[in-house]
């Protein structure tokens, strides 16, 4: 994938396959524009990746899980980013849904999103979002607001490609990235 | 509750109902003054809230859980703050007791208390305190020492009212707070 | 142990007993030098402690657990530090192995290692390392690279002795350390 960064658009198969899942009762009913999902779609264009799936679904645990599983197992996504449903309201279940479909949790990703977000607004610490691995795919829960999505993506961006390489065992050592 | 902030003391029913639980073998036996609980009681007076329950109990898991449940279910607390029992000693069980009575964990609150506390003293990271939601009530475990309680409250204070509003579904969007 | 700090080398029984476990398929087969384990061994010499156990084992959950249990229960270690196996690769299972042999997790230690490591390299947040207590012994998972081990040890060093004292109930109050 390092090569893909140099030859973007030429070796398309080396670009990451990304799925976007907007979790929102109102957006899924067409009552609110899916600003955060569209923003993610635009942000993905700034990295060596293709959006291969994009779905807007209600805050229903079953539908969230089915979508995550389909994006990983069927669409062969390297990364799935969700937006919405990470709060503390009665309908917010994205972290619970995610925790049951991942094989390994990566707590440091969510910790970082909250910590760096805290510098912008203290309320960022209220996101209960998770991050983890399913079948070689990195799944990360982002908060729902466009501003929070933008900030979170800035944090993820520098580590995204290498994280996927580590998850998929294509590199086994963090050392080279330090150099 | 935003209105209550402007008219403090007039619309009393809009003030938050807060419970304080000191968890300490020695304080519950009268062998040590409950400095941290009293400090919390004073600190609560600086926000739009009333202390509706205040109990000092030993480091017994059953008693901690019974108190948390009673404060939430019977006293209808909006917030319950505990102090003590978050360490690593054989008798420290406040996090374990709390984890079983909350419906959703909010890891970012405890992460923030440890991280900001770390700037004052590295030992702050040893607190195993949890935070979460039970029936629309925010429960937060604070460490036992008065200094740690003071520091933790300073971190919680700016987000406390809005966190409760989010938990109780009275607002559904963090966006307005950013503005 | 406070006394031991003043009389290092005289009252040997007050020095901490430390175990080092390198988890690495390649190092355990002799295909790679165990640089991180040796580095830890050198770093331990800079604190009031003795290395009483040092083993290099493959990324096998059973062997990791058996080693941790043996180091705590048989060698009576006060501290066991592991290096390696905290990543997201298919073979990385050190956190999973550790979580099943500890009685209490201390999330703030791992959070701190990731957060402080992040300042050196963003990839530090990918370590899934855990920290916790088994029978009065502090177990901490460190990442595998020598540079990460060095950085993590610098963070642990100032709190290590007092953490063990708190775990073992020899002191019950963090207050004195603040003074």
């Amino acid at each position: 994938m390092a090569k893909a960064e140099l030859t973007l658009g030429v070796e398309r198969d080396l670009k990451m396959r990304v799925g976007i899942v907007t979790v929102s009762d109102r957006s899924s009913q067409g009552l609110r524009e899916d600003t955060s999902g569209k923003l993610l779609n635009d942000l993905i264009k700034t990295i060596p990746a293709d959006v291969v799936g994009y779905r807007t679904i209600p805050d229903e645990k079953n539908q969230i899980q089915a979508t995550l599983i389909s994006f990983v197992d069927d669409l062969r996504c390297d990364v799935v980013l969700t937006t919405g449903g990470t709060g503390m309201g009665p309908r917010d279940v994205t972290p619970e849904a995610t925790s049951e479909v991942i094989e390994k949790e990566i707590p440091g990703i969510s910790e970082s999103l909250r910590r760096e977000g805290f510098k912008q607004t203290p309320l960022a610490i209220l996101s209960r979002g998770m991050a983890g691995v399913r079948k070689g795919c990195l799944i990360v829960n982002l908060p729902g607001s466009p501003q929070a999505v933008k900030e979170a993506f800035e944090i993820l961006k520098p580590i995204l490609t290498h994280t996927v390489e580590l998850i998929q065992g294509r590199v086994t050592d963090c050392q080279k990235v330090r150099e």
Side-chain angles (χ1 to χ4, degrees), chain A:
Chain A
M1 226 173 311
K3 200 174 171 192
E5 283 169 1
L6 299 172
T7 60
L8 190 57
V10 178
E11 304 194 27
R12 191 181 167 287
D13 58 321
L14 291 179
K15 290 164 79 178
M16 289 187 289
R17 298 171 62 80
V18 178
I20 297 170
V21 184
T22 298
V23 182
S24 163
D25 285 333
R26 288 195 285 164
S27 291
S28 69
Q29 293 173 301
L31 299 175
R32 183 167 69 175
E33 201 191 1
D34 176 21
T35 315
S36 293
K38 286 175 182 166
L39 174 60
L40 268 179
N41 193 51
D42 289 342
L43 292 168
I44 297 298
K45 290 175 187 161
T46 68
I47 61 172
D50 287 314
V51 174
V52 297
Y54 178 176
R55 216 176 280 178
T56 303
I57 56 176
D59 292 276
E60 294 288 346
K61 195 171 164 184
N62 286 348
Q63 287 190 57
I64 300 168
Q65 292 183 325
T67 303
L68 292 176
I69 291 171
S70 166
F71 274 27
V72 175
D73 299 14
D74 303 333
L75 296 186
R76 318 297 291 173
C77 286
D78 297 301
V79 176
V80 176
L81 302 178
T82 72
T83 171
T86 63
M88 302 153 305
R91 294 282 296 162
D92 291 317
V93 294
T94 303
E96 283 76 13
T98 302
S99 75
E100 289 177 26
V101 302
I102 57 177
E103 296 146 7
K104 288 182 180 176
E105 192 187 347
I106 311 175
I109 291 181
S110 310
E111 287 166 14
S112 296
L113 297 184
R114 285 189 284 263
R115 180 185 64 237
E116 300 302 312
F118 178 81
K119 295 173 183 170
Q120 308 295 327
T121 166
L123 291 173
I125 65 173
L126 300 180
S127 171
R128 302 183 304 113
M130 299 195 72
V133 177
R134 177 188 174 84
K135 297 185 181 177
C137 172
L138 173 68
I139 302 176
V140 183
N141 298 152
L142 307 185
S145 87
Q147 185 60 27
V149 164
K150 187 165 167 284
E151 288 164 13
F153 192 81
E154 286 305 307
I155 300 162
L156 285 178
K157 191 173 170 176
I159 62 165
L160 209 51
T161 297
H162 193 67
T163 301
V164 170
E165 290 177 328
L166 286 166
I167 289 172
Q168 298 179 352
R170 279 182 274 169
V171 294
T172 55
D173 203 323
C174 282
Q175 196 58 29
K176 72 165 201 183
V177 185
R178 292 170 172 274
E179 287 158 6

